[in-house]
């Protein structure tokens, strides 16, 4: 079941075109370096993308790039953010957009976020946006004013509910906005721009039936979602800050242009905060992902690896808020290390003829417990909790305080790899965890222990002890057991 923002409840996920799933997620406005706030929706919907594919669905995942029309102050007024940046740096707007798109892609790759199926740019779909605007005009839900086109909220609200997604009743707002008549191009304060006439100094402009101008911010997602996913598709997602006005306007545009809603499920991740305040560029309190990776920020005690950031985000449910702190990130770092160590230690477990009762119960219930958590609105914290329980079993097996048969060990390996790596998208980072160091040292240590085994076979006890003590001094624990010799990095 997934949480549908429109119905405000969990619903069984039933694709409109099973086994095919159409998913559209609002991507970044590329006028600055990606920050932690960008990471959360990317990781949230990466998890959904991975899980749906694992379940056997064919997923077309569309994530847009906003490179025109997102204005500085609100959706209708102020400077275009990319154009403003281009003026400051004396570059072409598309140079700015390409540079920060590349930076975004690099950060997503570091976070192990899979690329979407299609990544359309707003500037590459001006024709589709103009067609959308014309359809809304033809259906009587928009008006032209001084070369700009505005959506007529009052008229739309007479036959439809503008505010269904956000739960707002805009009747009072519409009535109160009448006092602004004649003050601006809009009939009502709440009307939003579908097309803006460009001022003479505006660089990014295209010809249209109404003026040389540019599309309103809300148009791009409706136009591109419809182009690549059809008039009806399954999932539209993004950050909770987009519920109003962006996604509310998208619903209105779809209904006004085609007579019925376009999206079946609306999903929104919650915010990342600093001291309880939303993290974002507009508030000036954001930390870029590169700063997290390098530790180059006054609020950071140290660098944090991309997988630590991913684990930090997955440790909270996607609909809950996550408050940044060094303590929380360091706890995530330790948790990630524990999980990766547990998975690495699976390769050194000695197989027995049978499982003890507790081990068998944990192993045989692990896969279904993780599935149940994922099926409960992507409850990734519960999945991590189940994997930690499995790590406890692994530690007992390493210390020979429990036993496991070959069949159960293989099941444990497959389940932990499936959920940790394939679904949660974690991976070992060389140089940043004991698991990675063990991977690098493993062959060398095993080779040394083979020499020790030969010394034992020859009853050369002095050499055996010398090798064991040398490994201990280098930071390795070596244990002789009835099944052979096992080792691990000392804690």
């Amino acid at each position: 079941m997934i949480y549908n923002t429109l119905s405000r409840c969990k619903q069984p996920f039933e694709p409109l075109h099973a086994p095919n799933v159409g998913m559209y997620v609002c991507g970044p406005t590329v006028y600055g370096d990606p920050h932690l706030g960008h990471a959360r929706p990317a990781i949230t919907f990466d998890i959904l993308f991975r899980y749906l594919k694992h379940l056997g669905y064919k997923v077309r995942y569309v994530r847009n790039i906003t490179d025109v029309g997102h204005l500085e102050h609100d959706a209708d007024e102020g400077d275009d953010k990319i154009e403003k940046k281009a003026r400051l740096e004396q570059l072409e707007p598309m140079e700015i957009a390409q540079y920060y798109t590349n930076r975004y892609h690099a950060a997503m790759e570091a976070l192990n976020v899979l690329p979407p199926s299609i990544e359309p740019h707003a500037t590459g779909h001006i024709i589709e946006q103009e067609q959308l605007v014309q359809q809304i005009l033809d259906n009587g839900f928009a008006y032209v004013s001084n070369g700009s086109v505005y959506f007529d909220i009052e008229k739309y609200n007479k036959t439809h509910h503008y505010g269904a997604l956000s739960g707002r009743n805009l009747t009072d707002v519409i009535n109160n906005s009448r006092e602004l008549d004649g003050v601006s191009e809009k009939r009502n304060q709440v009307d939003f721009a579908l097309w803006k006439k460009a001022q003479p100094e505006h660089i990014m402009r295209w010809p249209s039936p109404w003026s040389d101008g540019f599309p309103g911010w809300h148009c791009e997602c409706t136009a591109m979602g419809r182009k690549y996913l059809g008039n009806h598709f399954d999932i539209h997602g993004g950050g909770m800050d987009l519920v109003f006005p962006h996604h509310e306007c998208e619903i209105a545009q779809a209904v006004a242009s085609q007579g019925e809603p376009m999206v079946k499920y609306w999903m929104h991740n919650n915010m990342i905060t600093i001291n309880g305040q939303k993290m974002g560029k507009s508030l000036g309190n954001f930390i870029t992902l590169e700063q997290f990776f390098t530790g180059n920020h006054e609020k950071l005690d140290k660098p944090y690896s991309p997988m630590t950031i991913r684990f930090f985000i997955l440790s909270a449910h996607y609909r809950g808020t996550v408050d940044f702190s060094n303590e929380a990130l360091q706890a995530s770092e330790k948790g990630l290390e524990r999980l990766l160590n547990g998975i690495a230690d699976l390769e050194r477990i000695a197989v027995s003829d049978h499982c003890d009762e507790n081990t068998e119960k944990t192993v045989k219930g692990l896969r279904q417990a993780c599935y149940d958590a994922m099926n409960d609105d992507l409850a990734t914290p519960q999945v991590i909790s189940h994997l930690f329980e499995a790590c406890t079993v692994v530690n007992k097996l390493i210390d020979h305080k429990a036993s496991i048969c070959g069949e159960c060990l293989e099941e444990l390996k497959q389940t932990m790899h499936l959920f940790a790596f394939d679904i949660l998208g974690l991976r070992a980072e060389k140089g940043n965890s004991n698991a990675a160091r063990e991977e690098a040292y493993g062959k060398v240590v095993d080779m040394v222990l083979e020499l020790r085994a030969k010394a034992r076979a020859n009853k050369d006890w002095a050499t055996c002890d010398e090798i064991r003590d040398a490994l201990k001094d280098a930071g390795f624990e070596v244990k002789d057991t009835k099944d052979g010799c096992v080792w691990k990095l000392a804690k």
Side-chain angles (χ1 to χ4, degrees), residues 32-36 103 279 281 286-294 296-297 300:
D33 276 331
H35 55 75
L36 192 60
R103 303 275 285 180
M279 177 184 289
K281 285 190 176 75
F286 65 96
I287 303 174
T288 70
L289 290 171
E290 183 178 9
Q291 288 170 329
F292 274 104
F293 301 158
T294 63
N296 186 24
H297 192 281
L300 299 174

PDB file of all heavy atoms in Angstrom, residues 32-36 103 279 281 286-294 296-297 300:
ATOM      1  N   GLY A  32      21.970  26.166  -9.337  1.00  0.00           N
ATOM      2  CA  GLY A  32      22.913  26.127  -8.230  1.00  0.00           C
ATOM      3  C   GLY A  32      23.271  24.694  -7.901  1.00  0.00           C
ATOM      4  O   GLY A  32      22.651  23.741  -8.400  1.00  0.00           O
ATOM      5  N   ASP A  33      24.298  24.527  -7.060  1.00  0.00           N
ATOM      6  CA  ASP A  33      24.738  23.189  -6.697  1.00  0.00           C
ATOM      7  C   ASP A  33      23.650  22.432  -5.947  1.00  0.00           C
ATOM      8  O   ASP A  33      22.936  23.007  -5.119  1.00  0.00           O
ATOM      9  CB  ASP A  33      25.982  23.274  -5.812  1.00  0.00           C
ATOM     10  CG  ASP A  33      27.258  23.421  -6.627  1.00  0.00           C
ATOM     11  OD1 ASP A  33      27.284  22.937  -7.769  1.00  0.00           O
ATOM     12  OD2 ASP A  33      28.224  24.018  -6.120  1.00  0.00           O
ATOM     13  N   PRO A  34      23.510  21.124  -6.210  1.00  0.00           N
ATOM     14  CA  PRO A  34      22.509  20.327  -5.489  1.00  0.00           C
ATOM     15  C   PRO A  34      22.835  20.259  -4.000  1.00  0.00           C
ATOM     16  O   PRO A  34      23.998  20.161  -3.607  1.00  0.00           O
ATOM     17  CB  PRO A  34      22.618  18.948  -6.148  1.00  0.00           C
ATOM     18  CG  PRO A  34      23.978  18.911  -6.755  1.00  0.00           C
ATOM     19  CD  PRO A  34      24.282  20.324  -7.163  1.00  0.00           C
ATOM     20  N   HIS A  35      21.803  20.344  -3.165  1.00  0.00           N
ATOM     21  CA  HIS A  35      21.991  20.300  -1.716  1.00  0.00           C
ATOM     22  C   HIS A  35      21.222  19.123  -1.126  1.00  0.00           C
ATOM     23  O   HIS A  35      20.599  18.337  -1.853  1.00  0.00           O
ATOM     24  CB  HIS A  35      21.585  21.631  -1.071  1.00  0.00           C
ATOM     25  CG  HIS A  35      20.190  22.068  -1.385  1.00  0.00           C
ATOM     26  ND1 HIS A  35      19.082  21.500  -0.805  1.00  0.00           N
ATOM     27  CD2 HIS A  35      19.722  23.049  -2.214  1.00  0.00           C
ATOM     28  CE1 HIS A  35      17.988  22.096  -1.252  1.00  0.00           C
ATOM     29  NE2 HIS A  35      18.345  23.039  -2.111  1.00  0.00           N
ATOM     30  N   LEU A  36      21.270  19.011   0.191  1.00  0.00           N
ATOM     31  CA  LEU A  36      20.654  17.867   0.860  1.00  0.00           C
ATOM     32  C   LEU A  36      19.159  17.788   0.587  1.00  0.00           C
ATOM     33  O   LEU A  36      18.590  16.699   0.521  1.00  0.00           O
ATOM     34  CB  LEU A  36      20.924  17.952   2.369  1.00  0.00           C
ATOM     35  CG  LEU A  36      20.606  16.715   3.203  1.00  0.00           C
ATOM     36  CD1 LEU A  36      21.425  15.518   2.734  1.00  0.00           C
ATOM     37  CD2 LEU A  36      20.872  16.983   4.681  1.00  0.00           C
ATOM     38  N   ARG A 103      26.382  18.893 -12.560  1.00  0.00           N
ATOM     39  CA  ARG A 103      26.692  18.779 -11.129  1.00  0.00           C
ATOM     40  C   ARG A 103      25.635  17.919 -10.414  1.00  0.00           C
ATOM     41  O   ARG A 103      25.968  17.117  -9.533  1.00  0.00           O
ATOM     42  CB  ARG A 103      26.744  20.172 -10.500  1.00  0.00           C
ATOM     43  CG  ARG A 103      27.731  21.131 -11.141  1.00  0.00           C
ATOM     44  CD  ARG A 103      29.112  20.975 -10.596  1.00  0.00           C
ATOM     45  NE  ARG A 103      29.236  21.556  -9.264  1.00  0.00           N
ATOM     46  CZ  ARG A 103      30.366  21.548  -8.582  1.00  0.00           C
ATOM     47  NH1 ARG A 103      31.454  20.972  -9.086  1.00  0.00           N
ATOM     48  NH2 ARG A 103      30.434  22.101  -7.378  1.00  0.00           N
ATOM     49  N   MET A 279      15.303  23.302   4.930  1.00  0.00           N
ATOM     50  CA  MET A 279      16.568  23.573   4.269  1.00  0.00           C
ATOM     51  C   MET A 279      16.295  23.912   2.807  1.00  0.00           C
ATOM     52  O   MET A 279      15.606  23.184   2.113  1.00  0.00           O
ATOM     53  CB  MET A 279      17.485  22.348   4.351  1.00  0.00           C
ATOM     54  CG  MET A 279      18.807  22.512   3.622  1.00  0.00           C
ATOM     55  SD  MET A 279      19.816  21.005   3.650  1.00  0.00           S
ATOM     56  CE  MET A 279      20.310  20.968   5.366  1.00  0.00           C
ATOM     57  N   LYS A 281      17.567  26.797  -0.770  1.00  0.00           N
ATOM     58  CA  LYS A 281      18.313  27.944  -1.293  1.00  0.00           C
ATOM     59  C   LYS A 281      17.650  29.263  -0.925  1.00  0.00           C
ATOM     60  O   LYS A 281      18.308  30.242  -0.595  1.00  0.00           O
ATOM     61  CB  LYS A 281      18.423  27.833  -2.816  1.00  0.00           C
ATOM     62  CG  LYS A 281      19.429  26.792  -3.315  1.00  0.00           C
ATOM     63  CD  LYS A 281      19.639  26.938  -4.812  1.00  0.00           C
ATOM     64  CE  LYS A 281      20.711  25.968  -5.314  1.00  0.00           C
ATOM     65  NZ  LYS A 281      20.206  24.602  -5.387  1.00  0.00           N
ATOM     66  N   PHE A 286      21.065  26.193   3.360  1.00  0.00           N
ATOM     67  CA  PHE A 286      21.317  24.879   2.801  1.00  0.00           C
ATOM     68  C   PHE A 286      22.808  24.537   2.835  1.00  0.00           C
ATOM     69  O   PHE A 286      23.675  25.405   2.897  1.00  0.00           O
ATOM     70  CB  PHE A 286      20.810  24.799   1.355  1.00  0.00           C
ATOM     71  CG  PHE A 286      21.545  25.700   0.395  1.00  0.00           C
ATOM     72  CD1 PHE A 286      22.593  25.211  -0.367  1.00  0.00           C
ATOM     73  CD2 PHE A 286      21.185  27.034   0.258  1.00  0.00           C
ATOM     74  CE1 PHE A 286      23.279  26.026  -1.245  1.00  0.00           C
ATOM     75  CE2 PHE A 286      21.862  27.857  -0.622  1.00  0.00           C
ATOM     76  CZ  PHE A 286      22.915  27.356  -1.373  1.00  0.00           C
ATOM     77  N   ILE A 287      23.083  23.245   2.814  1.00  0.00           N
ATOM     78  CA  ILE A 287      24.438  22.727   2.696  1.00  0.00           C
ATOM     79  C   ILE A 287      24.466  21.875   1.441  1.00  0.00           C
ATOM     80  O   ILE A 287      23.645  20.961   1.279  1.00  0.00           O
ATOM     81  CB  ILE A 287      24.823  21.877   3.926  1.00  0.00           C
ATOM     82  CG1 ILE A 287      24.668  22.690   5.215  1.00  0.00           C
ATOM     83  CG2 ILE A 287      26.257  21.368   3.800  1.00  0.00           C
ATOM     84  CD1 ILE A 287      24.888  21.875   6.479  1.00  0.00           C
ATOM     85  N   THR A 288      25.400  22.168   0.528  1.00  0.00           N
ATOM     86  CA  THR A 288      25.432  21.419  -0.721  1.00  0.00           C
ATOM     87  C   THR A 288      25.934  20.006  -0.467  1.00  0.00           C
ATOM     88  O   THR A 288      26.627  19.719   0.516  1.00  0.00           O
ATOM     89  CB  THR A 288      26.328  22.098  -1.764  1.00  0.00           C
ATOM     90  OG1 THR A 288      27.704  21.987  -1.362  1.00  0.00           O
ATOM     91  CG2 THR A 288      25.963  23.562  -1.943  1.00  0.00           C
ATOM     92  N   LEU A 289      25.603  19.120  -1.393  1.00  0.00           N
ATOM     93  CA  LEU A 289      26.056  17.737  -1.264  1.00  0.00           C
ATOM     94  C   LEU A 289      27.578  17.654  -1.352  1.00  0.00           C
ATOM     95  O   LEU A 289      28.207  16.863  -0.650  1.00  0.00           O
ATOM     96  CB  LEU A 289      25.395  16.882  -2.348  1.00  0.00           C
ATOM     97  CG  LEU A 289      23.884  16.658  -2.145  1.00  0.00           C
ATOM     98  CD1 LEU A 289      23.262  15.992  -3.350  1.00  0.00           C
ATOM     99  CD2 LEU A 289      23.630  15.822  -0.894  1.00  0.00           C
ATOM    100  N   GLU A 290      28.177  18.475  -2.191  1.00  0.00           N
ATOM    101  CA  GLU A 290      29.638  18.481  -2.279  1.00  0.00           C
ATOM    102  C   GLU A 290      30.257  18.887  -0.944  1.00  0.00           C
ATOM    103  O   GLU A 290      31.283  18.328  -0.521  1.00  0.00           O
ATOM    104  CB  GLU A 290      30.114  19.428  -3.383  1.00  0.00           C
ATOM    105  CG  GLU A 290      31.623  19.416  -3.557  1.00  0.00           C
ATOM    106  CD  GLU A 290      32.099  20.325  -4.676  1.00  0.00           C
ATOM    107  OE1 GLU A 290      31.280  21.102  -5.202  1.00  0.00           O
ATOM    108  OE2 GLU A 290      33.283  20.250  -5.022  1.00  0.00           O
ATOM    109  N   GLN A 291      29.643  19.835  -0.245  1.00  0.00           N
ATOM    110  CA  GLN A 291      30.142  20.235   1.071  1.00  0.00           C
ATOM    111  C   GLN A 291      30.024  19.096   2.071  1.00  0.00           C
ATOM    112  O   GLN A 291      30.902  18.910   2.928  1.00  0.00           O
ATOM    113  CB  GLN A 291      29.390  21.482   1.557  1.00  0.00           C
ATOM    114  CG  GLN A 291      29.767  22.743   0.802  1.00  0.00           C
ATOM    115  CD  GLN A 291      28.854  23.920   1.117  1.00  0.00           C
ATOM    116  OE1 GLN A 291      27.665  23.745   1.411  1.00  0.00           O
ATOM    117  NE2 GLN A 291      29.388  25.129   1.051  1.00  0.00           N
ATOM    118  N   PHE A 292      28.954  18.333   1.985  1.00  0.00           N
ATOM    119  CA  PHE A 292      28.841  17.149   2.854  1.00  0.00           C
ATOM    120  C   PHE A 292      29.957  16.157   2.549  1.00  0.00           C
ATOM    121  O   PHE A 292      30.564  15.595   3.468  1.00  0.00           O
ATOM    122  CB  PHE A 292      27.487  16.464   2.653  1.00  0.00           C
ATOM    123  CG  PHE A 292      26.386  17.043   3.498  1.00  0.00           C
ATOM    124  CD1 PHE A 292      25.435  17.881   2.938  1.00  0.00           C
ATOM    125  CD2 PHE A 292      26.297  16.751   4.843  1.00  0.00           C
ATOM    126  CE1 PHE A 292      24.417  18.413   3.706  1.00  0.00           C
ATOM    127  CE2 PHE A 292      25.276  17.275   5.625  1.00  0.00           C
ATOM    128  CZ  PHE A 292      24.341  18.111   5.058  1.00  0.00           C
ATOM    129  N   PHE A 293      30.228  15.950   1.260  1.00  0.00           N
ATOM    130  CA  PHE A 293      31.225  14.948   0.877  1.00  0.00           C
ATOM    131  C   PHE A 293      32.642  15.383   1.248  1.00  0.00           C
ATOM    132  O   PHE A 293      33.505  14.532   1.491  1.00  0.00           O
ATOM    133  CB  PHE A 293      31.150  14.666  -0.624  1.00  0.00           C
ATOM    134  CG  PHE A 293      29.803  14.172  -1.093  1.00  0.00           C
ATOM    135  CD1 PHE A 293      29.430  14.301  -2.431  1.00  0.00           C
ATOM    136  CD2 PHE A 293      28.900  13.578  -0.217  1.00  0.00           C
ATOM    137  CE1 PHE A 293      28.195  13.857  -2.885  1.00  0.00           C
ATOM    138  CE2 PHE A 293      27.661  13.124  -0.656  1.00  0.00           C
ATOM    139  CZ  PHE A 293      27.310  13.273  -1.995  1.00  0.00           C
ATOM    140  N   THR A 294      32.893  16.698   1.277  1.00  0.00           N
ATOM    141  CA  THR A 294      34.241  17.196   1.588  1.00  0.00           C
ATOM    142  C   THR A 294      34.378  17.692   3.018  1.00  0.00           C
ATOM    143  O   THR A 294      35.503  17.870   3.507  1.00  0.00           O
ATOM    144  CB  THR A 294      34.614  18.344   0.636  1.00  0.00           C
ATOM    145  OG1 THR A 294      33.698  19.444   0.831  1.00  0.00           O
ATOM    146  CG2 THR A 294      34.559  17.897  -0.823  1.00  0.00           C
ATOM    147  N   ASN A 296      33.498  20.636   3.924  1.00  0.00           N
ATOM    148  CA  ASN A 296      33.856  22.050   3.805  1.00  0.00           C
ATOM    149  C   ASN A 296      32.651  22.956   4.064  1.00  0.00           C
ATOM    150  O   ASN A 296      32.118  23.597   3.148  1.00  0.00           O
ATOM    151  CB  ASN A 296      34.448  22.320   2.415  1.00  0.00           C
ATOM    152  CG  ASN A 296      34.975  23.737   2.273  1.00  0.00           C
ATOM    153  OD1 ASN A 296      35.323  24.383   3.263  1.00  0.00           O
ATOM    154  ND2 ASN A 296      35.030  24.224   1.035  1.00  0.00           N
ATOM    155  N   HIS A 297      32.190  22.985   5.322  1.00  0.00           N
ATOM    156  CA  HIS A 297      31.095  23.874   5.725  1.00  0.00           C
ATOM    157  C   HIS A 297      31.169  24.046   7.242  1.00  0.00           C
ATOM    158  O   HIS A 297      31.459  23.094   7.973  1.00  0.00           O
ATOM    159  CB  HIS A 297      29.737  23.299   5.316  1.00  0.00           C
ATOM    160  CG  HIS A 297      28.606  24.270   5.437  1.00  0.00           C
ATOM    161  ND1 HIS A 297      28.011  24.567   6.647  1.00  0.00           N
ATOM    162  CD2 HIS A 297      27.967  25.032   4.503  1.00  0.00           C
ATOM    163  CE1 HIS A 297      27.049  25.450   6.451  1.00  0.00           C
ATOM    164  NE2 HIS A 297      27.001  25.753   5.154  1.00  0.00           N
ATOM    165  N   LEU A 300      29.501  21.563   9.603  1.00  0.00           N
ATOM    166  CA  LEU A 300      29.880  20.158   9.535  1.00  0.00           C
ATOM    167  C   LEU A 300      31.123  19.894  10.378  1.00  0.00           C
ATOM    168  O   LEU A 300      32.130  20.589  10.254  1.00  0.00           O
ATOM    169  CB  LEU A 300      30.149  19.748   8.082  1.00  0.00           C
ATOM    170  CG  LEU A 300      28.968  19.875   7.117  1.00  0.00           C
ATOM    171  CD1 LEU A 300      29.419  19.565   5.690  1.00  0.00           C
ATOM    172  CD2 LEU A 300      27.825  18.955   7.533  1.00  0.00           C
TER     173      LEU A 300
END
